[in-house]
Amino acid sequence: MPRRERPIVKSFAVALLLALSVTAAQAAICTVPGSHASLWAAVRDTACSEIDLAAQSRAESVVIGRSLTLAGPAGGGAILAGLLDVRGVGVVVTVSHLRVENGCQPVAAAATGGARLDGATLEVIASPGGPCPAVGLFADGFESGDSVRWSVTLP
């Protein structure tokens, strides 16, 4: 008499194997630069659970809305010249060997909305009142209230 397969057991085994392979894929260690050109690209890639940063200064700001690990080299030298913003209930970003510098802005690193930023070797430097270079994006005067340079073009 031929043996009958149990479809429920077989389906469970397939589902378990899929779940294990998805978990392994989500636990990827990404490098910047390397597997990703920028920190922002690595943060957006949900497969990256740990992001290893090279010893260099990178001018970018990132908003992180999921738990992950950011790690610079143990000797230091990984600098984020911008804002590190962690947001969301239950989000924990663990940071090691990273320096965050935000020029003339009053905040360089923030955790809001129930998020947590952990790191014994996280150095944060904000220089409120420092000189802020003019940025072309804001050259129209909108942010300063100088409406003289505003313009509108209708099709």
Side-chain angles (χ1 to χ4, degrees):
M1 180 168 181
R3 184 176 158 209
R4 283 184 62 208
E5 299 226 6
R6 296 182 185 170
I8 294 174
V9 173
K10 193 173 190 179
S11 297
F12 176 75
V14 170
L16 181 62
L17 286 174
L18 286 173
L20 291 174
S21 65
V22 168
T23 302
Q26 290 178 342
I29 298 174
C30 301
T31 57
V32 177
S35 63
H36 293 77
S38 68
L39 177 57
W40 182 242
V43 166
R44 286 185 19 213
D45 184 348
T46 57
C48 300
S49 59
E50 181 177 329
I51 301 170
D52 288 344
L53 303 169
Q56 70 181 53
S57 180
R58 59 194 40 81
E60 60 181 309
S61 292
V62 291
V63 177
I64 302 173
R66 63 186 179 90
S67 296
L68 55 84
T69 299
L70 293 176
I79 300 170
L80 178 64
L83 173 65
L84 176 60
D85 188 359
V86 179
R87 298 179 183 179
V89 175
V91 173
V92 178
V93 174
T94 304
V95 181
S96 63
H97 308 292
L98 178 64
R99 179 178 176 152
V100 180
E101 300 175 350
N102 199 12
C104 60
Q105 302 302 316
V107 177
T112 59
R116 201 171 76 225
L117 185 58
D118 289 340
T121 54
L122 169 64
E123 183 179 5
V124 179
I125 298 175
S127 306
C132 294
V135 178
L137 178 65
F138 305 112
D140 66 356
F142 178 79
E143 289 75 17
S144 66
D146 179 11
S147 60
V148 173
R149 293 184 290 186
W150 292 4
S151 65
V152 61
T153 303
L154 298 174

